[in-house]
Protein backbone atom coordinates (compact mmCIF):
# COMPACT_ATOMS: atom_id res chain seq x y z
CA UNK A 1 0.00 0.00 0.00
CA UNK A 2 1.07 3.58 -0.68
CA UNK A 3 1.90 5.96 2.16
CA UNK A 4 -1.07 8.17 3.10
CA UNK A 5 0.62 11.23 1.61
CA UNK A 6 1.32 9.74 -1.84
CA UNK A 7 -2.33 9.95 -2.88
CA UNK A 8 -4.49 13.00 -2.14
CA UNK A 9 -8.20 13.04 -2.99
CA UNK A 10 -10.25 16.25 -3.08
CA UNK A 11 -13.74 15.39 -1.95
CA UNK A 12 -17.29 16.55 -1.62
CA UNK A 13 -20.08 14.52 0.00
CA UNK A 14 -22.16 11.59 -1.18
CA UNK A 15 -20.63 10.68 -4.57
CA UNK A 16 -17.12 11.27 -3.27
CA UNK A 17 -17.55 9.10 -0.20
CA UNK A 18 -18.61 6.05 -2.25
CA UNK A 19 -15.56 6.50 -4.44
CA UNK A 20 -13.30 6.93 -1.38
CA UNK A 21 -14.72 3.72 0.13
CA UNK A 22 -13.46 1.94 -3.01
CA UNK A 23 -10.11 3.73 -2.80
CA UNK A 24 -9.76 2.60 0.84
CA UNK A 25 -9.50 -0.98 -0.48
CA UNK A 26 -6.79 -0.06 -3.00
CA UNK A 27 -4.51 2.50 -1.37
CA UNK A 28 -3.84 4.62 1.69
CA UNK A 29 -4.64 8.27 1.03
CA UNK A 30 -5.26 11.76 2.36
CA UNK A 31 -8.65 13.40 1.83
CA UNK A 32 -8.90 17.17 1.38
CA UNK A 33 -12.56 17.68 2.25
CA UNK A 34 -14.83 20.48 1.12
CA UNK A 35 -15.79 22.88 3.89
CA UNK A 36 -18.12 25.12 1.83
CA UNK A 37 -21.25 23.35 3.03
CA UNK A 38 -20.37 23.77 6.72
CA UNK A 39 -23.05 25.59 8.69
CA UNK A 40 -24.20 26.41 12.22
CA UNK A 41 -27.36 24.70 13.48
CA UNK A 42 -28.62 24.90 17.10
CA UNK A 43 -25.32 26.50 18.11
CA UNK A 44 -23.36 23.53 16.71
CA UNK A 45 -20.81 23.47 13.90
CA UNK A 46 -22.02 20.99 11.27
CA UNK A 47 -19.64 19.82 8.52
CA UNK A 48 -21.71 17.64 6.18
CA UNK A 49 -18.99 16.71 3.67
CA UNK A 50 -16.32 15.99 6.28
CA UNK A 51 -18.86 13.91 8.19
CA UNK A 52 -20.16 11.81 5.32
CA UNK A 53 -16.58 10.97 4.33
CA UNK A 54 -15.68 10.16 7.95
CA UNK A 55 -18.79 8.03 8.56
CA UNK A 56 -18.33 6.22 5.24
CA UNK A 57 -14.65 5.42 5.81
CA UNK A 58 -15.48 4.33 9.37
CA UNK A 59 -18.18 2.00 7.96
CA UNK A 60 -21.09 3.63 9.84
CA UNK A 61 -22.63 5.87 7.16
CA UNK A 62 -26.19 5.65 5.97
CA UNK A 63 -25.04 5.08 2.40
CA UNK A 64 -28.55 4.63 1.04
CA UNK A 65 -29.61 8.10 2.17
CA UNK A 66 -26.18 9.58 1.39
CA UNK A 67 -25.73 11.42 4.71
CA UNK A 68 -25.80 10.79 8.44
CA UNK A 69 -25.25 7.62 10.47
CA UNK A 70 -26.84 4.27 9.63
CA UNK A 71 -29.75 3.36 11.93
CA UNK A 72 -29.86 6.84 13.46
CA UNK A 73 -33.00 8.13 15.21
CA UNK A 74 -34.32 11.71 15.27
CA UNK A 75 -35.58 12.13 18.83
CA UNK A 76 -33.52 15.23 19.63
CA UNK A 77 -34.78 16.88 16.43
CA UNK A 78 -38.38 16.05 17.45
CA UNK A 79 -37.75 17.64 20.84
CA UNK A 80 -36.27 20.74 19.19
CA UNK A 81 -39.37 20.98 16.96
CA UNK A 82 -41.62 20.87 20.03
CA UNK A 83 -39.57 23.65 21.57
CA UNK A 84 -40.18 25.75 18.45
CA UNK A 85 -36.70 25.69 16.87
CA UNK A 86 -36.73 27.14 13.34
CA UNK A 87 -33.82 25.06 12.07
CA UNK A 88 -35.40 21.61 12.16
CA UNK A 89 -35.68 21.42 8.36
CA UNK A 90 -32.09 20.15 8.50
CA UNK A 91 -32.48 16.57 9.70
CA UNK A 92 -29.72 15.94 12.20
CA UNK A 93 -29.94 12.47 13.73
CA UNK A 94 -29.22 11.71 17.39
CA UNK A 95 -25.87 9.97 16.75
CA UNK A 96 -24.93 12.69 14.26
CA UNK A 97 -25.74 15.32 16.92
CA UNK A 98 -23.06 13.74 19.13
CA UNK A 99 -20.43 14.47 16.45
CA UNK A 100 -21.46 18.13 16.22
CA UNK A 101 -21.62 18.58 20.02
CA UNK A 102 -18.14 17.01 20.38
CA UNK A 103 -16.66 19.05 17.50
CA UNK A 104 -18.11 22.35 18.68
CA UNK A 105 -16.97 21.79 22.28
CA UNK A 106 -13.38 21.05 21.21
CA UNK A 107 -13.34 24.05 18.87
CA UNK A 108 -14.60 26.28 21.69
CA UNK A 109 -11.65 24.99 23.76
CA UNK A 110 -9.36 26.27 20.99
CA UNK A 111 -8.74 23.17 18.89
CA UNK A 112 -8.67 23.73 15.09
CA UNK A 113 -11.14 22.09 12.71
CA UNK A 114 -8.21 20.01 11.41
CA UNK A 115 -7.32 18.71 14.88
CA UNK A 116 -10.94 17.92 15.70
CA UNK A 117 -11.53 16.20 12.34
CA UNK A 118 -8.45 13.97 12.85
CA UNK A 119 -9.59 13.13 16.40
CA UNK A 120 -13.13 12.22 15.33
CA UNK A 121 -11.84 10.04 12.47
CA UNK A 122 -9.44 8.23 14.80
CA UNK A 123 -12.08 7.67 17.49
CA UNK A 124 -14.63 6.40 14.95
CA UNK A 125 -12.04 3.95 13.59
CA UNK A 126 -11.29 5.34 10.11
CA UNK A 127 -8.48 3.20 8.71
CA UNK A 128 -6.02 3.87 5.90
CA UNK A 129 -7.06 7.46 5.30
CA UNK A 130 -6.26 10.85 6.79
CA UNK A 131 -9.19 13.27 6.51
CA UNK A 132 -8.26 16.97 6.42
CA UNK A 133 -10.59 19.96 6.00
CA UNK A 134 -9.34 22.09 3.08
CA UNK A 135 -9.00 25.05 5.46
CA UNK A 136 -9.54 25.84 9.12
CA UNK A 137 -11.31 29.07 8.12
CA UNK A 138 -15.08 29.28 7.69
CA UNK A 139 -16.10 29.24 4.03
CA UNK A 140 -19.74 29.13 2.92
CA UNK A 141 -21.07 28.18 -0.48
CA UNK A 142 -23.98 30.47 -1.27
CA UNK A 143 -26.46 30.16 -4.10
CA UNK A 144 -28.02 33.28 -5.58
CA UNK A 145 -31.52 32.31 -6.69
CA UNK A 146 -33.88 34.06 -9.08
CA UNK A 147 -36.84 33.77 -6.69
CA UNK A 148 -35.47 34.37 -3.19
CA UNK A 149 -32.03 35.91 -3.60
CA UNK A 150 -28.90 34.62 -1.89
CA UNK A 151 -28.84 31.75 0.59
CA UNK A 152 -26.54 29.10 2.08
CA UNK A 153 -26.21 25.95 -0.04
CA UNK A 154 -27.95 23.88 2.68
CA UNK A 155 -30.94 26.22 2.59
CA UNK A 156 -31.06 25.96 -1.20
CA UNK A 157 -30.70 22.17 -1.26
CA UNK A 158 -32.48 20.97 1.88
CA UNK A 159 -34.90 23.72 3.02
CA UNK A 160 -35.94 24.77 -0.49
CA UNK A 161 -35.46 21.21 -1.84
CA UNK A 162 -33.31 22.47 -4.73
CA UNK A 163 -36.44 23.83 -6.47
CA UNK A 164 -35.33 27.46 -6.90
CA UNK A 165 -33.47 28.67 -9.98
CA UNK A 166 -29.76 29.12 -9.25
CA UNK A 167 -28.29 32.18 -10.98
CA UNK A 168 -24.87 32.27 -9.38
CA UNK A 169 -22.74 30.42 -6.84
CA UNK A 170 -20.48 32.34 -4.40
CA UNK A 171 -17.81 31.00 -2.06
CA UNK A 172 -18.07 33.45 0.81
CA UNK A 173 -14.81 33.80 2.75
CA UNK A 174 -12.82 31.58 0.35
CA UNK A 175 -10.45 34.25 -0.94
CA UNK A 176 -9.41 35.31 2.57
CA UNK A 177 -9.08 31.67 3.69
CA UNK A 178 -5.81 29.71 3.40
CA UNK A 179 -5.16 25.99 3.04
CA UNK A 180 -3.84 24.52 6.29
CA UNK A 181 -0.15 23.54 6.53
CA UNK A 182 -1.21 19.89 6.50
CA UNK A 183 -3.10 20.39 3.22
CA UNK A 184 -0.34 22.49 1.64
CA UNK A 185 2.29 19.85 2.49
CA UNK A 186 -0.05 17.06 1.35
CA UNK A 187 -0.64 18.66 -2.05
CA UNK A 188 3.05 19.46 -2.43
CA UNK A 189 4.25 15.92 -1.64
CA UNK A 190 1.51 14.00 -3.46
CA UNK A 191 2.36 11.75 -6.39
CA UNK A 192 -1.29 11.57 -7.47
CA UNK A 193 -4.14 13.98 -6.80
CA UNK A 194 -7.63 12.71 -7.51
CA UNK A 195 -10.65 15.01 -7.88
CA UNK A 196 -13.39 12.69 -6.64
CA UNK A 197 -16.63 12.34 -8.62
CA UNK A 198 -18.28 15.32 -6.98
CA UNK A 199 -20.30 18.34 -7.98
CA UNK A 200 -17.61 20.66 -9.38
CA UNK A 201 -19.56 23.79 -8.37
CA UNK A 202 -20.39 22.92 -4.77
CA UNK A 203 -17.73 20.37 -3.79
CA UNK A 204 -14.49 21.02 -5.67
CA UNK A 205 -14.66 24.73 -6.62
CA UNK A 206 -15.08 25.90 -2.99
CA UNK A 207 -11.72 24.24 -2.25
CA UNK A 208 -10.03 25.50 -5.44
CA UNK A 209 -11.29 29.03 -4.58
CA UNK A 210 -9.43 29.12 -1.25
CA UNK A 211 -6.70 31.80 -1.32
CA UNK A 212 -3.53 30.41 -2.95
CA UNK A 213 -5.00 26.91 -3.43
CA UNK A 214 -5.00 26.93 -7.22
CA UNK A 215 -1.33 27.97 -7.29
CA UNK A 216 -0.49 25.28 -4.74
CA UNK A 217 -2.35 22.73 -6.83
CA UNK A 218 -0.69 23.83 -10.10
CA UNK A 219 2.78 23.82 -8.50
CA UNK A 220 2.41 20.22 -7.36
CA UNK A 221 4.14 17.72 -9.65
CA UNK A 222 1.49 15.09 -8.88
CA UNK A 223 -0.45 13.44 -11.68
CA UNK A 224 -3.90 15.02 -11.51
CA UNK A 225 -6.90 12.87 -12.30
CA UNK A 226 -10.55 13.97 -12.10
CA UNK A 227 -13.57 11.69 -12.25
CA UNK A 228 -16.58 13.27 -13.86
CA UNK A 229 -19.78 13.02 -11.79
CA UNK A 230 -21.89 13.46 -14.93
CA UNK A 231 -23.69 10.83 -16.94
CA UNK A 232 -25.11 12.23 -20.14
CA UNK A 233 -26.80 15.42 -18.93
CA UNK A 234 -27.38 14.26 -15.34
CA UNK A 235 -25.29 14.10 -12.19
CA UNK A 236 -24.96 10.99 -9.96
CA UNK A 237 -26.41 12.90 -7.03
CA UNK A 238 -27.05 16.40 -5.71
CA UNK A 239 -27.58 19.75 -7.41
CA UNK A 240 -24.73 19.69 -9.94
CA UNK A 241 -26.87 20.02 -13.06
CA UNK A 242 -28.72 23.19 -11.94
CA UNK A 243 -25.53 24.76 -10.63
CA UNK A 244 -23.73 24.24 -13.92
CA UNK A 245 -26.68 25.71 -15.78
CA UNK A 246 -26.18 28.82 -13.61
CA UNK A 247 -22.70 29.08 -15.15
CA UNK A 248 -24.26 28.73 -18.61
CA UNK A 249 -22.69 25.28 -18.88
CA UNK A 250 -24.59 22.21 -20.03
CA UNK A 251 -24.36 19.57 -17.29
CA UNK A 252 -22.00 17.25 -19.15
CA UNK A 253 -18.53 15.77 -18.71
CA UNK A 254 -17.30 18.19 -21.37
CA UNK A 255 -18.37 21.08 -19.13
CA UNK A 256 -16.54 19.45 -16.21
CA UNK A 257 -13.42 19.32 -18.43
CA UNK A 258 -13.86 23.03 -19.20
CA UNK A 259 -14.23 23.90 -15.50
CA UNK A 260 -11.02 21.96 -14.69
CA UNK A 261 -9.14 23.23 -17.78
CA UNK A 262 -5.43 23.67 -17.09
CA UNK A 263 -5.73 21.89 -13.74
CA UNK A 264 -5.94 18.19 -14.62
CA UNK A 265 -3.98 15.69 -16.70
CA UNK A 266 -6.78 13.15 -17.08
CA UNK A 267 -10.58 13.16 -16.95
CA UNK A 268 -12.30 9.82 -16.31
CA UNK A 269 -15.76 9.79 -17.93
CA UNK A 270 -18.52 7.25 -18.34
CA UNK A 271 -18.19 5.12 -21.46
CA UNK A 272 -21.70 6.14 -22.53
CA UNK A 273 -20.29 9.67 -23.00
CA UNK A 274 -17.69 8.42 -25.48
CA UNK A 275 -18.91 10.95 -28.07
CA UNK A 276 -17.55 13.82 -25.91
CA UNK A 277 -14.02 12.37 -25.62
CA UNK A 278 -12.48 14.16 -28.59
CA UNK A 279 -13.71 17.57 -27.50
CA UNK A 280 -12.64 16.87 -23.91
CA UNK A 281 -9.12 16.13 -25.13
CA UNK A 282 -9.12 19.52 -26.85
CA UNK A 283 -9.25 21.14 -23.37
CA UNK A 284 -5.81 19.61 -22.75
CA UNK A 285 -6.76 16.66 -20.52
CA UNK A 286 -6.61 13.11 -21.79
CA UNK A 287 -9.79 11.13 -21.48
CA UNK A 288 -10.21 7.68 -19.90
CA UNK A 289 -13.51 5.87 -20.37
CA UNK A 290 -15.02 3.35 -17.99
CA UNK A 291 -18.31 2.70 -16.24
CA UNK A 292 -18.43 5.45 -13.58
CA UNK A 293 -21.72 4.35 -11.96
CA UNK A 294 -21.13 3.01 -8.45
CA UNK A 295 -23.98 0.63 -7.68
CA UNK A 296 -21.97 -1.91 -5.67
CA UNK A 297 -18.81 -2.21 -3.63
CA UNK A 298 -17.12 -3.86 -6.64
CA UNK A 299 -18.01 -0.83 -8.79
CA UNK A 300 -16.45 1.47 -6.18
CA UNK A 301 -13.19 -0.54 -6.09
CA UNK A 302 -13.04 -0.81 -9.88
CA UNK A 303 -13.45 2.96 -10.32
CA UNK A 304 -10.79 3.57 -7.64
CA UNK A 305 -8.38 1.29 -9.53
CA UNK A 306 -9.04 3.18 -12.77
CA UNK A 307 -8.32 6.49 -10.98
CA UNK A 308 -5.07 5.06 -9.57
CA UNK A 309 -3.91 3.84 -12.96
CA UNK A 310 -5.11 6.69 -15.20
N1 LIG B 1 -29.55 16.35 3.07
C1 LIG B 1 -30.86 16.40 2.82
O1 LIG B 1 -31.25 16.31 1.66
N2 LIG B 1 -31.78 16.55 3.84
C2 LIG B 1 -31.40 16.64 5.13
O2 LIG B 1 -32.23 16.83 6.01
C3 LIG B 1 -29.99 16.55 5.43
C4 LIG B 1 -29.53 16.59 6.72
C5 LIG B 1 -28.15 16.42 6.97
C6 LIG B 1 -27.68 16.40 8.27
C7 LIG B 1 -26.33 16.24 8.52
C8 LIG B 1 -25.44 16.12 7.44
O3 LIG B 1 -24.12 15.96 7.68
C9 LIG B 1 -25.90 16.16 6.14
C10 LIG B 1 -27.25 16.30 5.88
N3 LIG B 1 -27.74 16.32 4.58
C11 LIG B 1 -29.09 16.40 4.34
C12 LIG B 1 -26.81 16.25 3.43
C13 LIG B 1 -26.29 17.62 3.00
O4 LIG B 1 -27.29 18.58 2.94
C14 LIG B 1 -25.71 17.65 1.58
O5 LIG B 1 -26.10 16.60 0.79
C15 LIG B 1 -24.26 17.79 1.57
O6 LIG B 1 -23.87 18.95 2.25
C16 LIG B 1 -23.73 17.89 0.13
O7 LIG B 1 -22.50 17.37 0.08
Amino acid sequence: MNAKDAVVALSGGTGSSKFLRGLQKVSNFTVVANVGDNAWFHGLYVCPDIDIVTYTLAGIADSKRGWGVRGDTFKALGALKRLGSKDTWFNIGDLDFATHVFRTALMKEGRSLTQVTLTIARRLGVGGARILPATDAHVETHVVTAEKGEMHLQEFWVKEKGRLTPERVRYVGARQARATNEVATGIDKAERIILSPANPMTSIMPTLSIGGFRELFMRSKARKVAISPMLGERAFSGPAAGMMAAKKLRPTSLSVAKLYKGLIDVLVIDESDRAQAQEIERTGASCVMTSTLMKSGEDEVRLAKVAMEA
Side-chain angles (χ1 to χ4, degrees):
M1 282 265 188
N2 289 304
K4 277 183 197 159
D5 53 7
V7 180
V8 170
L10 268 55
S11 85
T14 309
S16 303
S17 59
K18 286 166 84 179
F19 169 76
L20 295 175
R21 184 165 53 196
L23 190 59
Q24 201 179 24
K25 309 235 165 65
V26 177
S27 175
N28 290 320
F29 56 96
T30 294
V31 180
V32 174
N34 172 41
V35 297
D37 57 354
N38 293 0
W40 289 89
F41 289 102
H42 319 291
L44 302 173
Y45 199 48
V46 180
C47 305
D49 280 0
I50 294 175
D51 291 343
I52 187 61
V53 169
T54 305
Y55 295 155
T56 302
L57 297 181
I60 61 167
D62 187 323
S63 298
K64 227 169 164 191
R65 196 170 49 200
W67 46 270
V69 181
R70 193 167 54 236
D72 212 348
T73 48
F74 292 84
K75 288 190 175 158
L77 197 76
L80 283 162
K81 260 183 210 165
R82 277 194 298 282
L83 290 169
S85 166
K86 287 193 196 73
D87 278 347
T88 51
W89 50 267
F90 198 69
N91 294 291
I92 299 177
D94 299 327
L95 299 173
D96 197 20
F97 256 120
T99 303
H100 314 317
V101 169
F102 184 72
R103 173 191 294 125
T104 311
L106 289 189
M107 288 176 75
K108 285 200 170 148
E109 283 171 14
R111 238 70 70 79
S112 67
L113 182 60
T114 299
Q115 289 170 325
V116 180
T117 302
L118 290 168
T119 302
I120 293 173
R122 193 174 60 247
R123 303 247 169 107
L124 291 182
V126 169
R130 184 170 65 133
I131 305 168
L132 299 173
T135 177
D136 280 332
H138 183 66
V139 174
E140 281 189 4
T141 300
H142 282 198
V143 184
V144 182
T145 69
E147 299 85 353
K148 293 194 177 175
E150 182 166 337
M151 62 189 70
H152 192 291
L153 172 69
Q154 299 299 351
E155 247 181 295
F156 170 83
W157 184 239
V158 181
K159 190 176 182 189
E160 300 292 344
K161 302 185 173 27
R163 287 187 191 130
L164 303 174
T165 318
E167 289 184 330
R168 210 154 58 84
V169 183
R170 292 182 61 219
Y171 309 113
V172 179
R175 210 174 321 147
Q176 302 90 289
R178 290 290 171 272
T180 60
N181 288 336
E182 290 86 344
V183 167
T185 312
I187 297 278
D188 191 48
K189 278 195 181 165
E191 288 163 23
R192 181 171 292 263
I193 302 178
I194 303 172
L195 274 58
S196 306
N199 181 342
M201 302 296 294
T202 58
S203 298
I204 304 294
M205 286 302 174
T207 297
L208 291 173
S209 303
I210 289 168
F213 198 98
R214 241 170 220 274
E215 294 72 16
L216 184 72
F217 187 93
M218 303 281 284
R219 238 188 354 258
S220 168
K221 293 194 176 65
R223 183 149 177 89
K224 292 150 189 152
V225 179
I227 300 144
S228 172
M230 313 307 291
L231 267 170
E233 300 231 352
R234 319 183 270 113
F236 295 156
S237 60
M243 299 287 173
M244 288 170 80
K247 269 222 146 196
K248 311 260 179 296
L249 288 170
R250 282 174 60 199
T252 60
S253 286
L254 176 59
S255 297
V256 173
K258 287 179 180 165
L259 282 169
Y260 295 157
K261 189 175 156 87
L263 291 169
I264 56 168
D265 301 303
V266 186
L267 182 66
V268 179
I269 66 166
D270 194 78
E271 52 209 1
S272 63
D273 288 331
R274 181 171 295 275
Q276 297 173 34
Q278 243 187 352
E279 240 191 298
I280 287 173
E281 296 208 325
R282 263 184 241 132
T283 67
S286 56
C287 204
V288 167
M289 279 161 277
T290 186
S291 169
T292 56
L293 251 190
M294 293 175 285
K295 281 196 177 151
S296 66
E298 291 86 68
D299 290 345
E300 294 167 5
V301 171
R302 201 188 35 73
L303 189 58
K305 283 186 180 158
V306 170
M308 286 297 290
E309 283 156 19

